[in-house]
Amino acid sequence: MTPRPPAVRVLADAAAAVPLLLDEVRGLAQREPGALLGFATGGTYTQFLRALAAELPADRLLATHLDEYLGFGPDRRGGMVHELGQSCPPVLDMLRRGRFLPVPRVGDAATLRAHEERLQRAGGVALQLLGIGRNGHIAFNEPGTPFDSEFHVTTLAETTRADARARFAPEEPPLQAVTSGLATILRARRLVLCAFGKPKAEAVRAMLTGDLSPACPASLVRRHADVLVLLDHDAASLLMLGQASA
Ligand code: GLP
């Protein structure tokens, strides 16, 4: 059976995605109390996370996230949990109460397997939010990552490190990260991927209309049966009109 193609919505701007994302989270908490919400990090989600801070249904959801720099604990500046907590402080409260399952900071096989199992015991990720890198990565699955990958340690691509440089200045960005794998991401029951701005346009084109290939890890979302892609006009600018107006 061929999965139906991702639903694509082109919005006026990134701010227009915020109410849609809040509705996704509210709907999940209502439909499936106790379900596991998978956050994405990165500038794409900052506005949403700030808005969510006022209403995160922390007692009705569990939460996790996609990836973490190797060696970075939740308190360390530049790290993903730290970033989530800065934009959405209730996440830190969930962490303290064991309702937020952080990606391990270490990458040994037993720890990563235990994390995968913990996500499964929590019912598996019900809704996974995703961003996309300029090079077509999702989470930190860089081009060439096999589609059957699970949590693993990855070496960051140069474009990824370049994009992360500002958040670590004056230090250099890390070289490695622990990331959710492509197979792990595909197991989530619903995917919502956001991309805004011109620098994402080529990756978005490759994801939706290029080859389904590890050369563009994000193209894998086309194998999932329930995907929503939210774009602004700049990110959608290399798509043919018909494809960008679902
Ligand atoms: C980072 C994260 C991804 C994120 C992407 C885009 O490398 N690992 O999960 O989606 O880059 O980031 P931004 O939203 O800042 O463009």
Side-chain angles (χ1 to χ4, degrees):
M1 190 182 70
T2 321
R4 69 179 167 198
V8 180
R9 288 189 64 178
V10 182
L11 307 169
D13 53 26
V18 172
L20 302 178
L21 293 166
L22 291 175
D23 276 351
E24 290 279 342
V25 174
R26 286 180 201 131
L28 178 64
Q30 240 160 39
R31 270 192 324 275
E32 287 187 58
L36 186 56
L37 166 66
F39 284 111
T41 40
T44 301
Y45 281 95
T46 307
Q47 285 189 63
F48 157 69
L49 288 168
R50 289 190 180 138
L52 184 68
E55 59 164 273
L56 178 64
D59 290 323
R60 281 181 291 130
L61 290 176
L62 299 174
T64 187
H65 63 126
L66 285 168
D67 45 28
E68 186 54 275
Y69 293 107
L70 193 67
F72 278 60
D75 297 339
R76 186 155 162 200
R77 188 184 75 88
M80 299 307 194
V81 178
H82 184 264
E83 177 189 314
L84 282 170
Q86 293 273 303
S87 304
C88 188
V91 164
L92 298 179
D93 186 45
M94 290 178 83
L95 179 68
R96 279 187 288 272
R97 293 161 56 209
R99 299 186 66 79
F100 181 90
L101 312 179
V103 172
R105 74 190 80 178
V106 295
D108 64 280
T111 303
L112 298 186
R113 201 171 328 107
H115 183 63
E116 293 266 3
E117 285 165 9
R118 201 158 58 135
L119 299 182
Q120 290 313 308
R121 274 201 306 281
V125 175
L127 169 63
Q128 181 62 63
L129 305 178
L130 293 168
I132 184 169
R134 278 190 291 146
N135 63 357
H137 75 214
I138 48 175
F140 275 134
N141 292 283
E142 302 288 20
T145 307
F147 281 170
D148 62 359
S149 51
E150 302 205 313
F151 268 90
H152 62 283
V153 174
T154 186
T155 297
L156 300 173
E158 247 334 295
T159 52
T160 304
R161 294 188 71 228
D163 290 345
R165 197 151 268 123
R167 75 193 264 158
F168 290 99
E171 277 146 50
E172 276 294 285
L175 293 163
Q176 290 187 298
V178 177
T179 184
S180 181
L182 293 169
T184 321
I185 290 171
L186 219 66
R187 276 201 289 273
R189 296 193 283 289
R190 176 166 168 79
L191 305 178
V192 175
L193 186 147
C194 292
F196 309 122
K198 264 266 159 28
K200 301 291 175 78
E202 173 50 30
V204 167
R205 187 206 61 72
M207 166 176 73
L208 293 174
T209 68
D211 292 343
L212 209 163
S213 149
C216 177
S219 66
L220 182 76
V221 302
R222 283 162 33 207
R223 285 210 185 140
H224 195 287
D226 187 5
V227 186
L228 172 64
V229 177
L230 300 176
L231 307 172
D232 65 2
H233 289 285
D234 283 341
S237 58
L238 298 179
L239 297 175
M240 305 305 241
L241 215 56
Q243 288 161 317
S245 60

PDB file of all heavy atoms in Angstrom, residues 83-115:
ATOM      1  N   GLU A  83      17.516  24.389  25.826  1.00  0.00           N
ATOM      2  CA  GLU A  83      16.812  25.268  24.888  1.00  0.00           C
ATOM      3  C   GLU A  83      15.292  25.158  25.058  1.00  0.00           C
ATOM      4  O   GLU A  83      14.578  26.157  25.106  1.00  0.00           O
ATOM      5  CB  GLU A  83      17.204  24.903  23.451  1.00  0.00           C
ATOM      6  CG  GLU A  83      16.461  25.706  22.400  1.00  0.00           C
ATOM      7  CD  GLU A  83      16.695  25.186  20.987  1.00  0.00           C
ATOM      8  OE1 GLU A  83      17.850  24.909  20.627  1.00  0.00           O
ATOM      9  OE2 GLU A  83      15.714  25.056  20.237  1.00  0.00           O
ATOM     10  N   LEU A  84      14.797  23.922  25.174  1.00  0.00           N
ATOM     11  CA  LEU A  84      13.354  23.723  25.360  1.00  0.00           C
ATOM     12  C   LEU A  84      12.888  24.420  26.641  1.00  0.00           C
ATOM     13  O   LEU A  84      11.842  25.075  26.657  1.00  0.00           O
ATOM     14  CB  LEU A  84      13.017  22.231  25.445  1.00  0.00           C
ATOM     15  CG  LEU A  84      12.979  21.443  24.139  1.00  0.00           C
ATOM     16  CD1 LEU A  84      12.872  19.948  24.427  1.00  0.00           C
ATOM     17  CD2 LEU A  84      11.805  21.891  23.272  1.00  0.00           C
ATOM     18  N   GLY A  85      13.691  24.284  27.691  1.00  0.00           N
ATOM     19  CA  GLY A  85      13.315  24.873  28.983  1.00  0.00           C
ATOM     20  C   GLY A  85      13.342  26.391  28.956  1.00  0.00           C
ATOM     21  O   GLY A  85      12.548  27.040  29.642  1.00  0.00           O
ATOM     22  N   GLN A  86      14.249  26.960  28.165  1.00  0.00           N
ATOM     23  CA  GLN A  86      14.303  28.424  28.060  1.00  0.00           C
ATOM     24  C   GLN A  86      13.039  28.955  27.404  1.00  0.00           C
ATOM     25  O   GLN A  86      12.491  29.962  27.816  1.00  0.00           O
ATOM     26  CB  GLN A  86      15.497  28.841  27.176  1.00  0.00           C
ATOM     27  CG  GLN A  86      16.845  28.536  27.774  1.00  0.00           C
ATOM     28  CD  GLN A  86      17.322  29.656  28.661  1.00  0.00           C
ATOM     29  OE1 GLN A  86      17.429  30.790  28.232  1.00  0.00           O
ATOM     30  NE2 GLN A  86      17.575  29.346  29.909  1.00  0.00           N
ATOM     31  N   SER A  87      12.596  28.281  26.343  1.00  0.00           N
ATOM     32  CA  SER A  87      11.416  28.767  25.615  1.00  0.00           C
ATOM     33  C   SER A  87      10.126  28.338  26.292  1.00  0.00           C
ATOM     34  O   SER A  87       9.118  29.018  26.183  1.00  0.00           O
ATOM     35  CB  SER A  87      11.404  28.230  24.182  1.00  0.00           C
ATOM     36  OG  SER A  87      12.589  28.577  23.523  1.00  0.00           O
ATOM     37  N   CYS A  88      10.153  27.190  26.949  1.00  0.00           N
ATOM     38  CA  CYS A  88       8.920  26.616  27.497  1.00  0.00           C
ATOM     39  C   CYS A  88       9.232  26.013  28.870  1.00  0.00           C
ATOM     40  O   CYS A  88       9.390  24.794  29.011  1.00  0.00           O
ATOM     41  CB  CYS A  88       8.418  25.556  26.512  1.00  0.00           C
ATOM     42  SG  CYS A  88       6.789  24.910  26.917  1.00  0.00           S
ATOM     43  N   PRO A  89       9.322  26.879  29.923  1.00  0.00           N
ATOM     44  CA  PRO A  89       9.737  26.403  31.253  1.00  0.00           C
ATOM     45  C   PRO A  89       8.948  25.209  31.798  1.00  0.00           C
ATOM     46  O   PRO A  89       9.518  24.394  32.539  1.00  0.00           O
ATOM     47  CB  PRO A  89       9.591  27.651  32.132  1.00  0.00           C
ATOM     48  CG  PRO A  89       9.731  28.799  31.179  1.00  0.00           C
ATOM     49  CD  PRO A  89       9.126  28.353  29.875  1.00  0.00           C
ATOM     50  N   PRO A  90       7.650  25.044  31.473  1.00  0.00           N
ATOM     51  CA  PRO A  90       6.947  23.874  32.020  1.00  0.00           C
ATOM     52  C   PRO A  90       7.614  22.537  31.638  1.00  0.00           C
ATOM     53  O   PRO A  90       7.424  21.533  32.327  1.00  0.00           O
ATOM     54  CB  PRO A  90       5.543  23.966  31.400  1.00  0.00           C
ATOM     55  CG  PRO A  90       5.354  25.407  31.082  1.00  0.00           C
ATOM     56  CD  PRO A  90       6.722  25.931  30.725  1.00  0.00           C
ATOM     57  N   VAL A  91       8.399  22.541  30.563  1.00  0.00           N
ATOM     58  CA  VAL A  91       9.120  21.321  30.177  1.00  0.00           C
ATOM     59  C   VAL A  91      10.065  20.900  31.314  1.00  0.00           C
ATOM     60  O   VAL A  91      10.218  19.706  31.602  1.00  0.00           O
ATOM     61  CB  VAL A  91       9.912  21.538  28.864  1.00  0.00           C
ATOM     62  CG1 VAL A  91      10.954  20.467  28.658  1.00  0.00           C
ATOM     63  CG2 VAL A  91       8.951  21.600  27.679  1.00  0.00           C
ATOM     64  N   LEU A  92      10.679  21.887  31.979  1.00  0.00           N
ATOM     65  CA  LEU A  92      11.624  21.559  33.055  1.00  0.00           C
ATOM     66  C   LEU A  92      10.891  20.989  34.261  1.00  0.00           C
ATOM     67  O   LEU A  92      11.395  20.106  34.953  1.00  0.00           O
ATOM     68  CB  LEU A  92      12.437  22.799  33.446  1.00  0.00           C
ATOM     69  CG  LEU A  92      13.293  23.356  32.301  1.00  0.00           C
ATOM     70  CD1 LEU A  92      14.053  24.597  32.770  1.00  0.00           C
ATOM     71  CD2 LEU A  92      14.259  22.301  31.763  1.00  0.00           C
ATOM     72  N   ASP A  93       9.674  21.484  34.463  1.00  0.00           N
ATOM     73  CA  ASP A  93       8.849  20.939  35.539  1.00  0.00           C
ATOM     74  C   ASP A  93       8.495  19.477  35.215  1.00  0.00           C
ATOM     75  O   ASP A  93       8.557  18.597  36.081  1.00  0.00           O
ATOM     76  CB  ASP A  93       7.592  21.804  35.656  1.00  0.00           C
ATOM     77  CG  ASP A  93       6.759  21.396  36.841  1.00  0.00           C
ATOM     78  OD1 ASP A  93       7.356  21.201  37.917  1.00  0.00           O
ATOM     79  OD2 ASP A  93       5.530  21.243  36.692  1.00  0.00           O
ATOM     80  N   MET A  94       8.155  19.229  33.951  1.00  0.00           N
ATOM     81  CA  MET A  94       7.853  17.847  33.540  1.00  0.00           C
ATOM     82  C   MET A  94       9.082  16.960  33.746  1.00  0.00           C
ATOM     83  O   MET A  94       8.980  15.812  34.180  1.00  0.00           O
ATOM     84  CB  MET A  94       7.420  17.801  32.064  1.00  0.00           C
ATOM     85  CG  MET A  94       6.064  18.415  31.810  1.00  0.00           C
ATOM     86  SD  MET A  94       5.622  18.386  30.052  1.00  0.00           S
ATOM     87  CE  MET A  94       4.967  16.727  29.870  1.00  0.00           C
ATOM     88  N   LEU A  95      10.250  17.507  33.437  1.00  0.00           N
ATOM     89  CA  LEU A  95      11.498  16.740  33.607  1.00  0.00           C
ATOM     90  C   LEU A  95      11.678  16.352  35.077  1.00  0.00           C
ATOM     91  O   LEU A  95      11.970  15.194  35.394  1.00  0.00           O
ATOM     92  CB  LEU A  95      12.673  17.589  33.111  1.00  0.00           C
ATOM     93  CG  LEU A  95      14.066  16.984  33.229  1.00  0.00           C
ATOM     94  CD1 LEU A  95      14.229  15.790  32.291  1.00  0.00           C
ATOM     95  CD2 LEU A  95      15.149  18.035  32.911  1.00  0.00           C
ATOM     96  N   ARG A  96      11.471  17.316  35.958  1.00  0.00           N
ATOM     97  CA  ARG A  96      11.627  17.046  37.394  1.00  0.00           C
ATOM     98  C   ARG A  96      10.644  15.983  37.875  1.00  0.00           C
ATOM     99  O   ARG A  96      10.946  15.197  38.753  1.00  0.00           O
ATOM    100  CB  ARG A  96      11.409  18.347  38.202  1.00  0.00           C
ATOM    101  CG  ARG A  96      12.635  19.246  38.240  1.00  0.00           C
ATOM    102  CD  ARG A  96      12.432  20.432  39.196  1.00  0.00           C
ATOM    103  NE  ARG A  96      11.497  21.415  38.676  1.00  0.00           N
ATOM    104  CZ  ARG A  96      11.835  22.429  37.885  1.00  0.00           C
ATOM    105  NH1 ARG A  96      13.095  22.613  37.531  1.00  0.00           N
ATOM    106  NH2 ARG A  96      10.927  23.274  37.450  1.00  0.00           N
ATOM    107  N   ARG A  97       9.465  15.978  37.254  1.00  0.00           N
ATOM    108  CA  ARG A  97       8.431  15.026  37.693  1.00  0.00           C
ATOM    109  C   ARG A  97       8.470  13.711  36.917  1.00  0.00           C
ATOM    110  O   ARG A  97       7.551  12.901  37.023  1.00  0.00           O
ATOM    111  CB  ARG A  97       7.058  15.679  37.553  1.00  0.00           C
ATOM    112  CG  ARG A  97       6.884  16.850  38.537  1.00  0.00           C
ATOM    113  CD  ARG A  97       5.750  17.779  38.124  1.00  0.00           C
ATOM    114  NE  ARG A  97       4.504  17.072  37.974  1.00  0.00           N
ATOM    115  CZ  ARG A  97       3.522  17.432  37.130  1.00  0.00           C
ATOM    116  NH1 ARG A  97       3.674  18.488  36.360  1.00  0.00           N
ATOM    117  NH2 ARG A  97       2.417  16.732  37.057  1.00  0.00           N
ATOM    118  N   GLY A  98       9.493  13.517  36.100  1.00  0.00           N
ATOM    119  CA  GLY A  98       9.620  12.264  35.355  1.00  0.00           C
ATOM    120  C   GLY A  98       8.644  12.151  34.203  1.00  0.00           C
ATOM    121  O   GLY A  98       8.437  11.071  33.651  1.00  0.00           O
ATOM    122  N   ARG A  99       8.035  13.288  33.790  1.00  0.00           N
ATOM    123  CA  ARG A  99       7.070  13.251  32.686  1.00  0.00           C
ATOM    124  C   ARG A  99       7.712  13.677  31.366  1.00  0.00           C
ATOM    125  O   ARG A  99       7.062  13.706  30.327  1.00  0.00           O
ATOM    126  CB  ARG A  99       5.848  14.137  33.003  1.00  0.00           C
ATOM    127  CG  ARG A  99       5.101  13.673  34.253  1.00  0.00           C
ATOM    128  CD  ARG A  99       3.820  14.451  34.483  1.00  0.00           C
ATOM    129  NE  ARG A  99       2.812  14.214  33.449  1.00  0.00           N
ATOM    130  CZ  ARG A  99       2.025  13.144  33.379  1.00  0.00           C
ATOM    131  NH1 ARG A  99       2.140  12.195  34.286  1.00  0.00           N
ATOM    132  NH2 ARG A  99       1.128  13.022  32.422  1.00  0.00           N
ATOM    133  N   PHE A 100       8.959  14.053  31.413  1.00  0.00           N
ATOM    134  CA  PHE A 100       9.714  14.398  30.190  1.00  0.00           C
ATOM    135  C   PHE A 100      10.892  13.430  30.102  1.00  0.00           C
ATOM    136  O   PHE A 100      11.686  13.321  31.046  1.00  0.00           O
ATOM    137  CB  PHE A 100      10.213  15.847  30.265  1.00  0.00           C
ATOM    138  CG  PHE A 100      10.979  16.269  29.042  1.00  0.00           C
ATOM    139  CD1 PHE A 100      10.322  16.849  27.961  1.00  0.00           C
ATOM    140  CD2 PHE A 100      12.357  16.066  28.961  1.00  0.00           C
ATOM    141  CE1 PHE A 100      11.032  17.221  26.827  1.00  0.00           C
ATOM    142  CE2 PHE A 100      13.056  16.431  27.831  1.00  0.00           C
ATOM    143  CZ  PHE A 100      12.395  17.014  26.755  1.00  0.00           C
ATOM    144  N   LEU A 101      10.991  12.716  29.004  1.00  0.00           N
ATOM    145  CA  LEU A 101      12.018  11.688  28.844  1.00  0.00           C
ATOM    146  C   LEU A 101      13.145  12.240  27.974  1.00  0.00           C
ATOM    147  O   LEU A 101      13.021  12.308  26.750  1.00  0.00           O
ATOM    148  CB  LEU A 101      11.405  10.439  28.191  1.00  0.00           C
ATOM    149  CG  LEU A 101      10.076   9.952  28.802  1.00  0.00           C
ATOM    150  CD1 LEU A 101       9.549   8.719  28.069  1.00  0.00           C
ATOM    151  CD2 LEU A 101      10.244   9.655  30.289  1.00  0.00           C
ATOM    152  N   PRO A 102      14.252  12.675  28.610  1.00  0.00           N
ATOM    153  CA  PRO A 102      15.311  13.320  27.825  1.00  0.00           C
ATOM    154  C   PRO A 102      16.137  12.312  27.025  1.00  0.00           C
ATOM    155  O   PRO A 102      16.346  11.178  27.473  1.00  0.00           O
ATOM    156  CB  PRO A 102      16.177  13.988  28.896  1.00  0.00           C
ATOM    157  CG  PRO A 102      15.944  13.201  30.137  1.00  0.00           C
ATOM    158  CD  PRO A 102      14.565  12.611  30.048  1.00  0.00           C
ATOM    159  N   VAL A 103      16.599  12.727  25.879  1.00  0.00           N
ATOM    160  CA  VAL A 103      17.531  11.917  25.086  1.00  0.00           C
ATOM    161  C   VAL A 103      18.817  11.776  25.902  1.00  0.00           C
ATOM    162  O   VAL A 103      19.311  12.766  26.456  1.00  0.00           O
ATOM    163  CB  VAL A 103      17.819  12.607  23.733  1.00  0.00           C
ATOM    164  CG1 VAL A 103      18.919  11.897  22.965  1.00  0.00           C
ATOM    165  CG2 VAL A 103      16.543  12.676  22.899  1.00  0.00           C
ATOM    166  N   PRO A 104      19.364  10.557  26.004  1.00  0.00           N
ATOM    167  CA  PRO A 104      20.585  10.383  26.802  1.00  0.00           C
ATOM    168  C   PRO A 104      21.727  11.257  26.281  1.00  0.00           C
ATOM    169  O   PRO A 104      21.821  11.504  25.087  1.00  0.00           O
ATOM    170  CB  PRO A 104      20.933   8.911  26.603  1.00  0.00           C
ATOM    171  CG  PRO A 104      19.703   8.255  26.082  1.00  0.00           C
ATOM    172  CD  PRO A 104      18.898   9.308  25.397  1.00  0.00           C
ATOM    173  N   ARG A 105      22.565  11.683  27.225  1.00  0.00           N
ATOM    174  CA  ARG A 105      23.721  12.493  26.819  1.00  0.00           C
ATOM    175  C   ARG A 105      24.890  11.603  26.402  1.00  0.00           C
ATOM    176  O   ARG A 105      25.898  12.075  25.919  1.00  0.00           O
ATOM    177  CB  ARG A 105      24.127  13.433  27.945  1.00  0.00           C
ATOM    178  CG  ARG A 105      24.828  12.742  29.102  1.00  0.00           C
ATOM    179  CD  ARG A 105      25.011  13.634  30.285  1.00  0.00           C
ATOM    180  NE  ARG A 105      23.776  13.714  31.064  1.00  0.00           N
ATOM    181  CZ  ARG A 105      23.654  14.403  32.200  1.00  0.00           C
ATOM    182  NH1 ARG A 105      24.670  15.092  32.671  1.00  0.00           N
ATOM    183  NH2 ARG A 105      22.518  14.415  32.858  1.00  0.00           N
ATOM    184  N   VAL A 106      24.782  10.315  26.679  1.00  0.00           N
ATOM    185  CA  VAL A 106      25.847   9.376  26.294  1.00  0.00           C
ATOM    186  C   VAL A 106      25.319   8.444  25.207  1.00  0.00           C
ATOM    187  O   VAL A 106      24.119   8.263  25.064  1.00  0.00           O
ATOM    188  CB  VAL A 106      26.341   8.539  27.497  1.00  0.00           C
ATOM    189  CG1 VAL A 106      27.002   9.433  28.520  1.00  0.00           C
ATOM    190  CG2 VAL A 106      25.200   7.741  28.108  1.00  0.00           C
ATOM    191  N   GLY A 107      26.261   7.859  24.452  1.00  0.00           N
ATOM    192  CA  GLY A 107      25.827   7.145  23.254  1.00  0.00           C
ATOM    193  C   GLY A 107      26.110   5.656  23.248  1.00  0.00           C
ATOM    194  O   GLY A 107      26.122   5.043  22.178  1.00  0.00           O
ATOM    195  N   ASP A 108      26.331   5.032  24.429  1.00  0.00           N
ATOM    196  CA  ASP A 108      26.597   3.586  24.372  1.00  0.00           C
ATOM    197  C   ASP A 108      25.306   2.847  24.023  1.00  0.00           C
ATOM    198  O   ASP A 108      24.200   3.290  24.331  1.00  0.00           O
ATOM    199  CB  ASP A 108      27.178   3.091  25.708  1.00  0.00           C
ATOM    200  CG  ASP A 108      26.208   3.255  26.849  1.00  0.00           C
ATOM    201  OD1 ASP A 108      26.111   4.399  27.365  1.00  0.00           O
ATOM    202  OD2 ASP A 108      25.512   2.303  27.184  1.00  0.00           O
ATOM    203  N   ALA A 109      25.501   1.685  23.376  1.00  0.00           N
ATOM    204  CA  ALA A 109      24.370   0.965  22.793  1.00  0.00           C
ATOM    205  C   ALA A 109      23.308   0.615  23.832  1.00  0.00           C
ATOM    206  O   ALA A 109      22.110   0.745  23.564  1.00  0.00           O
ATOM    207  CB  ALA A 109      24.879  -0.297  22.100  1.00  0.00           C
ATOM    208  N   ALA A 110      23.749   0.203  25.038  1.00  0.00           N
ATOM    209  CA  ALA A 110      22.769  -0.230  26.047  1.00  0.00           C
ATOM    210  C   ALA A 110      21.892   0.954  26.479  1.00  0.00           C
ATOM    211  O   ALA A 110      20.673   0.826  26.636  1.00  0.00           O
ATOM    212  CB  ALA A 110      23.491  -0.822  27.250  1.00  0.00           C
ATOM    213  N   THR A 111      22.515   2.123  26.661  1.00  0.00           N
ATOM    214  CA  THR A 111      21.749   3.305  27.083  1.00  0.00           C
ATOM    215  C   THR A 111      20.749   3.706  26.005  1.00  0.00           C
ATOM    216  O   THR A 111      19.603   4.051  26.287  1.00  0.00           O
ATOM    217  CB  THR A 111      22.708   4.482  27.374  1.00  0.00           C
ATOM    218  OG1 THR A 111      23.648   4.052  28.364  1.00  0.00           O
ATOM    219  CG2 THR A 111      21.981   5.702  27.873  1.00  0.00           C
ATOM    220  N   LEU A 112      21.186   3.649  24.746  1.00  0.00           N
ATOM    221  CA  LEU A 112      20.294   4.071  23.663  1.00  0.00           C
ATOM    222  C   LEU A 112      19.141   3.084  23.505  1.00  0.00           C
ATOM    223  O   LEU A 112      18.000   3.483  23.274  1.00  0.00           O
ATOM    224  CB  LEU A 112      21.071   4.236  22.354  1.00  0.00           C
ATOM    225  CG  LEU A 112      22.158   5.323  22.412  1.00  0.00           C
ATOM    226  CD1 LEU A 112      22.769   5.523  21.027  1.00  0.00           C
ATOM    227  CD2 LEU A 112      21.604   6.642  22.941  1.00  0.00           C
ATOM    228  N   ARG A 113      19.454   1.797  23.661  1.00  0.00           N
ATOM    229  CA  ARG A 113      18.385   0.791  23.572  1.00  0.00           C
ATOM    230  C   ARG A 113      17.387   1.010  24.711  1.00  0.00           C
ATOM    231  O   ARG A 113      16.170   0.960  24.521  1.00  0.00           O
ATOM    232  CB  ARG A 113      18.960  -0.631  23.620  1.00  0.00           C
ATOM    233  CG  ARG A 113      17.995  -1.643  23.024  1.00  0.00           C
ATOM    234  CD  ARG A 113      18.588  -3.029  22.843  1.00  0.00           C
ATOM    235  NE  ARG A 113      20.019  -3.053  22.552  1.00  0.00           N
ATOM    236  CZ  ARG A 113      20.968  -3.431  23.408  1.00  0.00           C
ATOM    237  NH1 ARG A 113      20.659  -3.845  24.628  1.00  0.00           N
ATOM    238  NH2 ARG A 113      22.244  -3.423  23.058  1.00  0.00           N
ATOM    239  N   ALA A 114      17.909   1.280  25.903  1.00  0.00           N
ATOM    240  CA  ALA A 114      17.022   1.508  27.052  1.00  0.00           C
ATOM    241  C   ALA A 114      16.115   2.720  26.793  1.00  0.00           C
ATOM    242  O   ALA A 114      14.939   2.723  27.165  1.00  0.00           O
ATOM    243  CB  ALA A 114      17.845   1.721  28.319  1.00  0.00           C
ATOM    244  N   HIS A 115      16.659   3.738  26.143  1.00  0.00           N
ATOM    245  CA  HIS A 115      15.838   4.918  25.841  1.00  0.00           C
ATOM    246  C   HIS A 115      14.730   4.559  24.850  1.00  0.00           C
ATOM    247  O   HIS A 115      13.570   4.939  25.041  1.00  0.00           O
ATOM    248  CB  HIS A 115      16.712   6.049  25.302  1.00  0.00           C
ATOM    249  CG  HIS A 115      15.946   7.315  25.040  1.00  0.00           C
ATOM    250  ND1 HIS A 115      15.305   8.032  26.043  1.00  0.00           N
ATOM    251  CD2 HIS A 115      15.678   7.983  23.883  1.00  0.00           C
ATOM    252  CE1 HIS A 115      14.685   9.085  25.511  1.00  0.00           C
ATOM    253  NE2 HIS A 115      14.902   9.068  24.209  1.00  0.00           N
TER     254      HIS A 115
END
